[in-house]
Structures are given as structure tokens and as C-alpha cells.
Amino acid sequence: MGTTSTAGFPTSGNYWEYLSFNRANINLGFMWFSNNILYRTTNLSAATPTWANVFTFTAPVTAIHSSIADPNRLYVITNDAKIHVSSNALSATPTFTINTLPTGSNSIASIAAIANNANTVYISINNKVYVSVNSGATWTDITYNLPNVNHRKILAEEFGGTQELVFIATNNAVYYKKAGQVTWTNYSTNLPGRRSPTNFTMFDDGTSQAVLRYYTYGRGVWETPFTNLRKLTADFVASATAICPGSTVNFTDLSIGNATTRTWTFPGGTPSTSTAVSPSVVYNTPGVYDVILQISDGTTSNTMTKSAYINLNGTNLPLSESFEGATNPPTGWMNLDNATQGRAWVKSTAAGGFGLTTSAMMYDNYSFNNVGDKDELQVKNLNFVGLSSASLSFDVAYQVYTGYSDTLSVLVSTDCGLTFTSVFF
């Protein structure tokens, strides 16, 4: 079950509608109030965001869109066949340029600007679809072969943008189109019959996990990936990159696009090549190795090379870590959730080490109490070659909760993790 929150909205019973958020600025949000007031927040991630009245329109709003390419660009359609365009939406008092739309907007409208170009914007109005390449000053009708029904919502991919991959949910189907195409392609496989969407959304993190979600009245929520429609781009990740000789590394293909074949190359590994989707490779010889993945859709290909990606040498000493970097955990470190509860060590700014830093790694035993569970934070492999001795120092802070007993252990392995010796308990 999820939870609900007022998110700082007024609770006077008035009707709120048409929200817009922005991937490029996660604290930014816009909302239209039923009395034609536009509200904005710039601290959306706060426990209770604050919303400011920044503009009042002269007609009811039917759609709002905040541009990913430029968070200062805001598009607003009103029901009097006008589109209002702001280029300073983050200022204390935004101003708008008003352009006339090519058709009436008193019923259903939606807006989607291209992720890498704030000037290119698509709109759906009633049974028509238009595109503008000059921020709404002029429009081109691209309804083409779409059915003559009201179109519920238009969406554009939130990463990339060179393809101008756009989706539209009509009253009876989902279609997509790319730049330069003069027909829309039906993308409704497996959607239920007699469908009429109540909403149409996109989850897009720029990876193969991106999906469309189609919400229906009485027939549930339906989801489908769309990575097969995107520009072919190779990418992958390894289960571990700092390892010991004899270790097995599992590789996962994160490529986007409609890849039908893939060729992996693993210098220093066994096997040295593979065509599997998720190969497993054994590394036996100390060294630092590249990994290469080439994918193809039968027509075009794309290659990703990650140089010095697999390291069997270990990191040279000295090692100092203040946990103040953006990566959590630090690069090369590893969280192990041995209880498979999804809980792990996380970076916290509530305390720092030795009174000299502003961050630390924290495990929240207070909110999670499952007796016997163990969770590990593993340091990257270290290279002690040429050293006769070494020392380890760290700082610890904790708060006792009466009636409960939690422990912290620090262990060291000198055989690449086969056995460990406790040095602090």
C-alpha cells in the first residue's frame, strides 16, 4: 500500500487540477487552481512543500507542461484557444507570451515538449494533433491517420529527444510517431477491449526499464515497455567491478533500442567472448580489464566500451573516505542485503567523522527490527603489496534504544572474502 500526503496543498475543499513536474528539476512543480490561479513550488522534496501564487489566467486552464530541456519554459493551454508560453517560469513573477491555437481548446488538451529542445512542442486538442518548432508561434497539423476521436493525452520520451518519439492515447488505442514520419503506428497490443483511458503516463529513466502506463475505468492499469522504439544504444552493468582472482562477474545488458544480437568481449576473462544477454565471466589473472558490448538490430549497430572496468589489482593505499561524494555507496563499495528485506546502508548528513566531515554511512535499526538480520557494507578491494603493516581507523556514532540490542562488527579478509576476522565488535 502506498501512502498519501497533502504535499502542502490547501485543504479548503476547492478543486485542484492540472499538475506538471520536471525531471530536470525535481523540486519544481506547477499547479492550476480552479479559480484560474497558477501555483508553483520550488521545494517539492521538502516534507511540506510551499506553493506560491505566481500568475492568474483570464480563462480556465486545460493543460500545463514544464519543459525538461529548459525548466524556465512553461506551456499552458487555456480553454479559449490560447497557449501561454513563459520563458522565465522560475522568476518571482513569470510573464507569458500568448499565441492563438489552430483550433478550439474548450474540451480536452495536452502538451509535450521534446526533452532536448524546449522550442519543439506537441499538443493534442480534441481530435487533432499539432507540432510547433518555434515555441507555439505557428503550428503544423500532424493528425494524419489517427482516428477521428478525442485524443486523451500526448507524451514525449523524457530522455534523448533526437527521434522526437511521441505517444498519444486516444479513446480506443495508443499510437506513436517519430520525427519525419507521416503516419502514426498503433501500439495497443494486449490492451483490453472497449477501453477509454482515465490517464496515460510514462516512467522514463533513460534505460530499458522505461514503460508506458494506460489507466482505464474498470479495467485496471496496463503497462508496456517502449525501449524497442528508441535509438539503438549499448549499455551494461557488472555485478562487481573490483574483484579478486577466481571471481565470477555477472553482466547485465542495459541497452535500449530493438537489439536482436549482441557480442560481448572480455579481455582477461573466461569466456573471452559471448553472445548471451546476461553472461557470467570468470577472471583469474590480476590486472585491469576493459569490457566491450556491441549490439545490432540487423541494420545498424552500436558499441559501448568501458575502459579499465574490471579491476583485480585492488586500490592502492592509503584510502580515505568521507562519504561526501554523490555516489551512494562510494564507487567500488558494495551494499549486501543478506536478509533480502530491501534495507541497506545509506549516506546520512546527520553526522560526520571525527568532527571533520559532514556525512557518514548509516543503518536505520530504529525503523526496521527483524531479529537476526545482518546487512553489510563492503569496502572496495585494497592492495597491500609491498606493505609490512597497515592500520584502520574509523569513527562510530549510535543511539541506544532501551530494550533492544543491535551490534556493529568490523571484519577484515586477507583471502578475497573467503574468510573474515573480526577486528571490532
Side-chain angles (χ1 to χ4, degrees), residues 250-366:
N250 299 313
F251 291 90
T252 302
D253 183 2
L254 299 179
S255 303
I256 60 175
N258 191 26
T260 55
T261 62
R262 51 195 50 81
T263 301
W264 299 84
T265 304
F266 305 109
T270 304
S272 60
T273 63
S274 176
T275 58
V277 176
S278 301
S280 297
V281 181
V282 177
Y283 289 88
N284 291 310
T285 306
V288 179
Y289 302 104
D290 300 345
V291 177
I292 305 163
L293 172 62
Q294 182 182 70
I295 60 174
S296 173
D297 60 7
T299 303
T300 60
S301 62
N302 187 260
T303 301
M304 166 64 78
T305 299
K306 295 192 177 183
S307 302
Y309 190 55
I310 303 298
N311 187 343
L312 277 73
N313 289 339
T315 299
N316 292 329
L317 297 181
L319 171 70
S320 177
E321 180 55 65
S322 63
F323 305 108
E324 293 175 308
T327 306
N328 180 26
T331 301
W333 294 49
M334 187 181 304
N335 256 321
L336 294 181
D337 181 22
N338 291 332
T340 66
Q341 298 291 329
R343 304 279 178 150
W345 288 81
V346 297
K347 187 172 76 170
S348 170
T349 57
F354 304 101
L356 301 175
T357 68
T358 59
S359 298
M361 294 298 288
M362 179 194 74
Y363 190 83
D364 184 7
N365 281 311
Y366 178 82

Side-chain angles (χ1 to χ4, degrees), residues 2-20:
T3 59
T4 59
S5 172
T6 60
F9 301 164
T11 56
S12 60
N14 290 312
Y15 186 52
W16 293 86
E17 194 173 355
Y18 301 118
L19 295 91
S20 182

Side-chain angles (χ1 to χ4, degrees), residues 242-248 283 312 378-384 411-422:
I243 60 172
C244 297
S247 297
T248 298
Y283 289 88
L312 277 73
Q378 287 192 358
V379 181
K380 64 177 72 177
N381 290 346
L382 303 175
N383 183 9
F384 288 83
L411 302 99
V412 173
S413 174
T414 58
D415 54 12
C416 287
L418 295 178
T419 61
F420 286 87
T421 300
S422 176

